[in-house]
């Protein structure tokens, strides 16, 4: 009889652990959002990523519509290439959509912000975003500022 | 005592410490495998998991909740200076999953379950139960030590996960209900920054290592203790002290390795 | 082995713990089928002798032969087998397993070492408990037993595998007179009924003299007297006689060595 109680409690203990693990996987680490929705791929070239990493969010008007999936250096063009997955429901991104690398808050992480343009046609799976704005690098800004100051 | 005598005494203690480590390693080696006449079985494992795991639940859950809440509160004050309150969810969850969950659980475990293990085994030694087993042709290591070692190894990661889980919800309670941070911001940013393999799994690995080390130390101290009430008291204290230091030291090593190449 | 050969035979055995020499080239025989009481002043290592016979300790030199087998030379496995088959030991505190009840404690050696079905094990356990008078207590936990009862259960457990030799470590210590009477009856009774060789270590002179066929008095790492209680009381040397009669002063002095009494009083203390 006592053994039954012990078995029950230990079993519940292990179940609690598994539930905690599952919660961690889906609620906390967003594991599922990777696999669930349907997405299409867009690419963009940047001069300087300045801290943009994989899994960074891609948003338009502040709404997250995708994720950065790959980041690498193009050996031919000597620029950074970013691949991102955009949610299928956002299929009306115009051809002249622009992508900028922005910072969330003062210390925040980098993310990609998209702004639509005025063209009639839309970006499809595998297309390149042409209009890109690299991240603002503090040192370059200061350098430009000093240069301007020195001139006039 | 002259200075020279002090040096000698110090050296002797060093040698004794190394001898202890040797005995402890032999103990681990002889107790890791199951089997042999009169040795423990699956039901003994279950009983031990109940004893070290289930019985530690209350302290782990309560502590986890409070730690999560404090993290939420303190984190908010610091982050709001930088206008980054939105990062609170990220901060609380990463801190817990990577560090505080495994480490605090291990320390609490050492204090509660570790000392209980040491006392129990020490008492068995003092009342000659271990000798009696030997005289009956049963290896006390296989009967008494093996199930306790494995129970600690299994229970610790479960407890650490529960600590982190409860802590994250505690942080959420403070952040969303008390401080008015947007619920979506708390969880959304967290989901964006917490990676299952990098953070959750590595945290679990840490707690498995801690589980082994703490239980090993607890069991050895009990087995090696001087069989008097003084001796057992001393052994229990040593369990808590040595395992705490070991956990903190190992945490540094593991963190350094995990964060990539030291 | 014929009945005349001693069951335990120790030759030239020396054992020291740390710097202390406990046994110095000791020779002694313990006769088969008899009750022998091992006695001596506190701290001479009587319990250590039992451990040496049981193989829990290894002597520095010499031989310890039990039924012809030299214990220190047995491999770990052979030793465990030998103990399981032939030896039973009753510890001072009983040493019952606190996580098992009385029945399971006595059944333990049977369940571990034999393949007997549970029904047979049950019968054997009941028999052993009946022999010590505690069949009715089979469901109790060790924590619920008095000291005397715990020792009787431990005795039942020690004889569960029908050993050839039983060693008792201070079986009379700390018992009330009734419990003591029960233990005495059991030790003697079991020895006759099962043809055991019994070795008991004790301080209690009266009971030991009553119960034992032979007394073995140990002091200073050697055997200073061996024989029947009557022989030793009449013909033993002074030290043995002092011990057996319980004289406070004799070869073992009352005063711990100290400087001259008058001189110390007059010196008025201080370093």
């Amino acid at each position: 009889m006592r053994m039954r109680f012990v078995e029950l409690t230990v079993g519940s203990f292990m179940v609690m652990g598994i539930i905690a693990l599952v919660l961690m996987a889906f609620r906390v680490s967003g594991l599922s959002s990777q696999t669930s929705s349907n997405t299409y791929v867009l690419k963009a070239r940047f001069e300087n990523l300045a801290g943009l990493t994989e899994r960074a969010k891609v948003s338009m008007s502040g709404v997250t519509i995708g994720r950065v999936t790959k980041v690498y250096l193009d050996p031919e063009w000597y620029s950074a290439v970013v691949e991102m997955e955009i949610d299928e429901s956002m299929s009306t991104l115009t051809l002249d959509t622009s992508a900028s690398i922005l910072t969330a808050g003062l210390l925040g992480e980098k993310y990609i912000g998209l702004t639509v343009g005025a063209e009639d046609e839309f970006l499809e799976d595998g297309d390149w975003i042409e209009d890109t704005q690299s991240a603002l690098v503090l040192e370059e800004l200061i350098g430009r500022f000093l240069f301007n100051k020195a001139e006039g | 005592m002259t200075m020279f005598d002090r040096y000698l005494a110090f050296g002797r203690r060093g040698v004794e410490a190394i001898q202890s480590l040797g005995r402890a390693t032999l103990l681990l080696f002889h107790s890791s495998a199951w089997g042999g006449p009169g040795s423990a079985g699956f039901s003994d494992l279950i009983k031990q998991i109940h004893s070290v795991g289930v019985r530690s639940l209350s302290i782990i859950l309560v502590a986890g909740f409070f730690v999560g809440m404090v993290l939420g509160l303190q984190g908010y004050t610091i982050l709001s200076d930088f206008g980054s309150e939105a990062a609170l969810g990220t901060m609380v969850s990463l801190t817990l999953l990577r560090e505080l969950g495994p480490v605090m659980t291990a320390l609490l475990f050492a204090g509660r379950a570790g000392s209980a293990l040491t006392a129990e085994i020490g008492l068995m030694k003092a009342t000659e139960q271990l000798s009696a087993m030997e005289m009956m042709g049963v290896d006390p290591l296989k009967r008494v030590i093996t199930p306790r070692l494995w129970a600690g190894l299994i229970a610790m990661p479960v407890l650490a996960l529960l600590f982190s889980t409860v802590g994250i919800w505690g942080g959420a309670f403070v952040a969303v209900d008390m401080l008015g941070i947007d619920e979506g911001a708390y969880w959304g940013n967290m989901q964006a920054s917490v990676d299952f393999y990098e953070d959750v799994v590595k945290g679990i690995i840490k707690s498995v290592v801690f589980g082994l080390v703490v239980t090993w130390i607890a069991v050895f101290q009990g087995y090696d203790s001087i069989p008097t009430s003084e001796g057992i008291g001393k052994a229990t204290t040593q369990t808590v002290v040595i395992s705490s230091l070991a956990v903190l030291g190992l945490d540094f090593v593991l963190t350094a390795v995990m964060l990539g190449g030291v | 082995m014929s009945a005349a050969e001693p069951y335990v035979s120790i030759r030239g055995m020396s054992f020291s713990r740390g710097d202390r020499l406990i046994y110095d080239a000791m020779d002694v025989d313990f006769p088969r089928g008899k009750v022998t009481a091992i006695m001596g002043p506190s701290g001479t290592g009587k319990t250590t002798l039992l451990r040496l016979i049981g193989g829990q300790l290894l002597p520095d030199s010499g031989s310890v032969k039990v039924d012809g087998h030299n214990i220190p030379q047995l491999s770990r496995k052979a030793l465990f087998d030998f103990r399981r088959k032939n030896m039973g030991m009753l510890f001072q505190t009983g040493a019952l397993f606190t996580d098992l009840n009385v029945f399971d404690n006595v059944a333990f050696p049977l369940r571990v070492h034999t393949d007997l079905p549970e029904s047979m094990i049950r019968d054997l356990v009941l028999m052993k408990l009946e022999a010590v008078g505690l069949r009715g207590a089979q469901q109790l936990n060790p924590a619920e037993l008095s000291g005397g009862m715990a020792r009787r259960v431990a005795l039942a457990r020690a004889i569960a595998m029908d050993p050839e030799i039983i060693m008792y470590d201070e079986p009379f210590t700390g018992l009330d007179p009734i419990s003591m009477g029960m233990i005495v009856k059991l030790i003697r009774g079991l020895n006759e009924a099962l043809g055991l060789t019994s070795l008991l270590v004790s301080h209690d002179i009266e009971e030991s003299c009553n119960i034992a066929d032979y007394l073995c008095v140990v002091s200073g790492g050697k055997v200073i007297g061996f024989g029947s209680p009557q022989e030793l009381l009449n013909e033993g040397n002074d030290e043995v006689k002092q011990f057996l009669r319980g004289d406070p002063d004799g070869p073992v002095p009352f005063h711990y060595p100290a400087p001259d009494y008058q001189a110390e009083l007059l010196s008025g203390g201080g370093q």
Side-chain angles (χ1 to χ4, degrees):
Chain A
M1 208 73 75
R2 269 206 78 205
M3 195 54 196
R4 276 278 198 89
F5 173 71
V6 168
E7 284 174 358
L8 202 60
T9 48
V10 173
S12 322
F13 178 72
M14 300 304 281
V15 167
M16 279 170 79
I18 294 176
I19 292 179
L21 191 61
V22 169
L23 274 176
M24 287 295 141
F26 296 112
R27 266 290 248 162
V28 171
S29 69
L31 195 64
S32 64
S33 54
Q34 226 91 348
T35 49
S36 56
S37 31
N38 290 317
T39 56
Y40 67 101
V41 177
L42 289 181
K43 297 190 249 201
R45 222 174 240 118
F46 292 92
E47 282 291 307
N48 197 325
L49 290 180
L52 182 77
T53 57
E54 292 174 12
R55 303 207 66 230
K57 62 179 191 243
V58 177
S59 66
M60 182 176 327
S61 307
V63 178
T64 304
I65 56 172
R67 287 230 166 251
V68 173
T69 49
K70 254 206 278 182
V71 164
Y72 57 91
L73 183 68
D74 185 338
E76 281 179 49
W77 289 52
Y78 296 107
S79 61
V81 177
V82 171
E83 272 183 36
M84 54 195 114
E85 279 183 5
I86 308 291
D87 197 82
E88 285 249 305
S89 56
M90 291 303 306
S91 51
T92 54
L93 296 173
T94 62
L95 277 187
D96 59 342
T97 301
S98 68
S100 328
I101 301 184
L102 306 166
T103 315
L106 198 62
L107 284 191
E109 56 206 39
K110 297 282 193 275
Y111 68 98
I112 293 191
L114 300 177
T115 317
V116 266
E119 290 248 359
D120 296 326
E121 288 169 37
F122 302 128
L123 291 166
E124 316 233 310
D125 186 35
D127 283 346
W128 286 85
I129 297 180
E130 302 294 332
D131 186 2
T132 63
Q133 167 114 56
S134 293
L136 293 171
V137 181
L138 206 54
E139 293 88 353
E140 286 179 10
L141 267 183
I142 294 177
R144 225 184 294 161
F145 178 69
L146 292 176
F147 188 64
N148 287 338
K149 263 295 179 194
E151 286 215 314
Chain B
M1 276 218 286
T2 66
M3 280 303 286
F4 187 62
D5 288 329
R6 278 187 227 268
Y7 275 130
L8 279 185
F10 198 68
R12 207 169 298 134
R13 261 196 276 152
V15 171
E16 275 168 20
I18 296 182
Q19 279 181 311
S20 283
L21 185 59
R23 284 199 300 278
T25 313
L26 284 173
L27 179 99
L28 185 64
F29 182 66
H30 281 125
S31 330
S32 17
W34 299 80
S39 65
F42 189 68
S43 59
D44 297 291
L45 177 66
I46 299 287
K47 262 194 254 173
Q48 289 308 318
I49 294 183
H50 176 87
S51 174
V52 304
V54 176
R55 292 238 188 97
S56 306
L57 261 184
S58 47
I59 187 177
I60 294 292
L61 293 178
V62 171
F65 194 68
F66 277 115
V67 169
M69 290 204 291
V70 167
L71 273 178
L73 209 49
Q74 284 282 19
Y76 180 79
T77 13
I78 296 175
L79 289 174
S80 56
D81 278 352
F82 296 96
S84 303
E85 302 90 341
L88 189 59
T90 307
M91 192 209 94
V92 168
S93 54
L94 284 180
T95 313
L96 281 168
L97 284 170
R98 285 186 192 166
E99 288 299 326
L100 286 190
V103 172
M104 283 214 67
T105 306
L107 294 176
L108 291 169
F109 186 85
R112 199 240 134 236
S115 58
L117 275 176
T118 305
E120 187 187 7
I121 297 179
L123 197 60
M124 278 189 171
K125 186 176 182 188
T127 52
E128 296 179 295
Q129 287 180 50
L130 300 181
S131 272
M133 281 180 222
E134 275 182 8
M135 284 311 289
M136 280 189 261
V138 169
D139 189 351
L141 292 181
K142 301 271 188 203
R143 180 154 195 272
V144 170
I145 308 283
T146 307
R148 286 166 174 82
L149 264 179
W150 283 90
L153 193 64
I154 294 174
M156 180 80 85
V158 174
L159 289 171
L161 265 179
L162 290 171
F163 186 94
S164 300
T165 309
V166 167
I168 290 175
W169 259 265
F173 173 69
V174 162
V176 174
D177 295 326
M178 282 174 59
L179 295 171
I181 292 184
D182 176 44
E183 186 174 1
Y186 187 84
W187 294 104
N189 281 321
M190 184 198 301
Q191 287 184 359
S193 335
V194 175
D195 180 74
F196 186 73
Y197 297 105
E198 283 299 308
D199 303 313
V200 180
V201 169
K202 288 198 175 159
I204 295 178
I205 294 177
K206 270 193 190 176
S207 53
V208 170
V209 172
F210 294 156
L212 177 64
V213 169
V214 172
T215 317
W216 179 22
I217 292 174
V219 152
F220 173 68
Q221 289 296 327
Y223 191 77
D224 207 44
S225 63
I226 299 173
T228 60
S229 40
E230 251 184 54
I232 296 177
K234 183 164 172 244
T236 344
T237 317
Q238 279 185 302
T239 292
V240 177
V241 170
I242 298 178
S243 1
S244 304
L245 292 175
V247 163
L248 294 171
L250 269 176
D251 183 47
F252 172 70
V253 171
L254 286 172
T255 307
V257 166
M258 285 178 183
L259 284 183
V262 173
Chain C
M1 306 271 165
S2 71
E5 295 226 13
Y7 194 74
V8 178
S9 184
I10 299 179
R11 291 281 177 275
M13 195 264 296
S14 297
F15 179 76
S16 40
R17 186 171 272 139
D19 298 330
R20 271 184 62 213
L21 185 64
I22 301 192
Y23 288 113
D24 188 9
M26 188 193 204
D27 289 340
V28 69
D29 286 334
F30 294 110
R32 191 178 288 265
K34 300 281 180 210
V35 177
T36 308
I38 302 172
M39 313 170 66
S42 313
T44 41
K46 305 187 288 296
T47 308
T48 312
L49 185 57
L50 289 185
R51 287 190 201 271
L52 284 163
I53 296 175
Q56 286 182 316
L57 294 173
L58 281 175
D60 296 334
S61 60
S63 70
V64 178
K65 288 207 181 129
V66 178
D67 199 22
H69 296 87
N70 193 354
I71 297 288
Q73 287 180 348
L74 291 178
S75 72
R76 191 180 161 94
K77 184 173 184 306
L79 180 60
F80 269 75
D81 280 342
F82 188 79
R83 279 184 189 150
R84 155 166 76 85
K85 285 201 206 96
N86 301 316
M87 292 185 177
M89 183 145 172
L90 184 60
F91 292 88
Q92 193 168 341
T93 52
L96 295 177
F97 300 138
T98 45
D99 53 327
L100 302 175
N101 68 15
V102 165
F103 184 92
D104 293 324
N105 258 286
V106 181
F108 181 79
L110 293 168
R111 287 189 181 133
V112 166
H113 292 305
T114 67
D115 286 325
L116 296 173
E118 269 304 304
S119 51
M120 270 197 84
I121 291 187
R122 185 176 170 275
D123 292 339
L124 282 169
V125 170
L126 291 179
M127 266 167 46
K128 308 294 178 186
L129 282 176
E130 178 76 10
V132 301
L134 285 174
R135 186 167 49 89
Q138 57 181 279
Q139 293 299 324
L140 293 179
N141 281 316
E144 300 170 282
L145 300 172
S146 72
M149 288 167 75
R151 258 179 245 187
R152 285 193 281 158
V153 174
L155 183 51
R157 184 179 68 178
I159 56 170
M161 294 283 287
D162 289 322
E164 291 180 350
I165 173 173
I166 294 202
M167 298 186 273
Y168 300 87
D169 190 1
E170 308 264 6
F172 308 125
T173 310
L175 288 183
D176 64 272
I178 299 180
S179 305
M180 193 145 25
M182 290 185 188
I183 292 276
V184 166
K185 170 173 177 278
L186 282 171
I187 294 180
R188 198 67 236 182
L190 284 173
N191 200 72
E192 306 302 325
L194 301 176
L196 299 169
T197 302
S198 306
L199 299 180
L200 60 97
V201 162
S202 177
H203 288 309
D204 192 325
I205 302 183
E206 201 182 311
E207 293 300 340
S208 305
C209 287
N210 280 337
I211 192 182
D213 297 313
Y214 293 97
L215 296 182
C216 172
V217 184
V218 175
S219 174
K222 287 196 177 299
V223 176
I224 56 171
F226 190 100
S228 78
Q230 278 308 94
E231 282 170 20
L232 289 182
L233 268 172
N234 296 333
E235 298 145 36
N237 65 32
D238 286 336
E239 209 181 331
V240 170
K241 279 200 214 156
Q242 180 197 7
F243 185 75
L244 291 180
R245 287 197 299 247
D247 294 339
D249 208 3
V252 177
F254 178 71
H255 286 288
Y256 193 80
D260 181 63
Y261 190 30
Q262 201 174 37
E264 187 160 12
L265 278 179
L266 289 175
S267 72
Q271 290 266 350

